[in-house]
Each structure stands twice: as structure tokens, then as C-alpha cells.
Amino acid sequence: MSPRVGLDINIIINTAAELVDTEGLESITLAKIARKLNVRPPSLFNHIQGLPSIKRELSLLGLTQLYNSLQNALNKKEGDAAIYALAYAYTEFARKHPGLYGLILQAPDPSDKELQMASNQIIGLLSDVLKAYDLTEEDIIHAIRALRSILHGFSSLGQNGGFGLPVNLEKSFELMMNGFLVSIKK
């Protein structure tokens, strides 16, 4: 069977990304992706190996897009301004792409070099920004873990309606980030 003209792996993955962000990871099926593309499910197999390969590609897309968002947010910022830029970009990515975000939370399979590299780019970017604080290599790892935990918690609570109290959310975010910055300054 020959592949449908105009259908390729990028179109399939972008369609799956749209679905995962609007309907959630649990709702992604080959049938749903095929329906959205107006093809029969077997047509997808000319371009993909199955749902696990789509999820893997979505993870790679999510890591790449998050990295690009963080990189663009930096825009030559350093120190506290860079940390704030990264924090805003991270939470904005999680808000705009909840499905892709959910796929990138786990550490990638150590045998998948491409996913490892994409994940390590993000860690490297965070590490580079944190070097401005004269931290040891070990303290940088602790700071990255802390920052990711803080931002994930804030993002997850926001996505799940956990901030119902009538207090300025932006002020809460600022206080949270100020607390993180105090914790990494010697």
C-alpha cells in the first residue's frame, strides 16, 4: 500500500500534539488521529509504527518546544532576570501545552539517545543560567531539581483549578520565585 499523498510523520505528530493538548493523553488513539486527518487508521502505519512511537515523537516534540521557549525567553538575560524569564516561559508552556507537558515530565529512557539529548539540552540551559550564582556542580543539580519542582507544582495546581482563593496569582508567583532566588544565593 502506498502512503497517502500529503500525509507524513510531521502531520501525524502535529495532529496528535493538537489532540493531546486539547483532549489529554488518555484520549489519544490511532482511530482519533486518523479521523482528525480524514484517513483510515491503517494509513497511519505507512508513517508510524503505532501509538508508542507517536507518544515517543510527542515527547521529543514537547522537549524541543520547551527548550525553544526557554531559550527564546532568555534573550541575553542573566541572573535573577534570567531565572524569572525561564520560570514564566516554563509555566506558560505548561499552560499552553498541557498534553505535551505531561509527556515530558518523566526522565527519558536511557537507551533513547535522541530523547536524552533533548532533555539534556534543557538541563544544560538551566545549569548555564544557574552558574551565575557561584554554585557548586552538586548545588546546581539541587537548584535545578528545586526549580523544576516549584514550577511543576505551580503549573499543575493552576491546570487543575487549585488556585481558587481570591488573591493575586501573579503576586504568589513572584513571592515563590523570590523564595527560590533567596535559597540559591550564598
Side-chain angles (χ1 to χ4, degrees):
M1 180 186 294
S2 63
R4 179 180 152 217
V5 176
L7 187 62
D8 64 23
I9 185 71
N10 292 325
I11 290 171
I12 293 168
I13 297 306
N14 287 332
T15 300
E18 181 183 319
L19 285 169
V20 79
D21 279 341
T22 58
E23 299 182 23
L25 181 60
E26 305 77 34
S27 68
I28 296 300
T29 64
L30 293 176
K32 196 172 272 193
I33 295 167
R35 193 175 323 119
K36 180 94 169 151
L37 290 168
N38 202 27
V39 300
R40 294 180 326 132
S43 299
L44 298 175
F45 286 98
N46 292 314
H47 308 281
I48 53 112
Q49 294 177 359
L51 200 52
S53 69
I54 288 176
K55 289 179 179 179
R56 185 245 178 229
E57 292 297 323
L58 287 172
S59 294
L60 183 59
L61 178 65
L63 287 167
T64 302
Q65 286 185 0
L66 176 58
Y67 174 79
N68 290 338
S69 295
L70 297 174
Q71 181 73 19
N72 290 337
L74 281 178
N75 195 22
K76 300 180 183 174
K77 293 177 180 77
E78 295 177 355
D80 293 1
I83 297 290
Y84 267 100
L86 289 173
Y88 282 115
Y90 185 100
T91 56
E92 182 70 8
F93 177 85
R95 188 184 62 73
K96 285 185 175 177
H97 302 286
L100 286 178
Y101 176 70
L103 281 163
I104 64 173
L105 294 176
Q106 236 179 323
D109 180 345
S111 67
D112 190 327
K113 299 302 179 204
E114 191 175 21
L115 279 177
Q116 282 288 330
M117 202 165 85
S119 180
N120 288 340
Q121 271 190 305
I122 294 169
I123 301 302
L125 185 66
L126 297 174
S127 179
D128 288 346
V129 169
L130 288 165
K131 286 179 182 169
Y133 294 92
D134 196 34
L135 301 170
T136 66
E137 288 298 316
E138 184 175 320
D139 286 342
I140 287 174
I141 292 169
H142 293 309
I144 289 170
R145 287 176 179 165
L147 182 59
R148 287 181 64 207
S149 297
I150 289 166
L151 296 176
H152 172 67
F154 193 87
S155 298
S156 293
L157 286 167
Q159 286 174 356
N160 292 303
F163 295 128
L165 298 175
V167 175
N168 185 305
L169 194 55
E170 185 65 29
K171 181 68 175 173
S172 296
F173 187 83
E174 183 181 319
L175 290 169
M176 175 183 74
M177 292 310 302
N178 285 343
F180 171 75
L181 289 170
V182 165
S183 77
I184 63 170
K185 293 179 181 176
K186 292 185 174 191

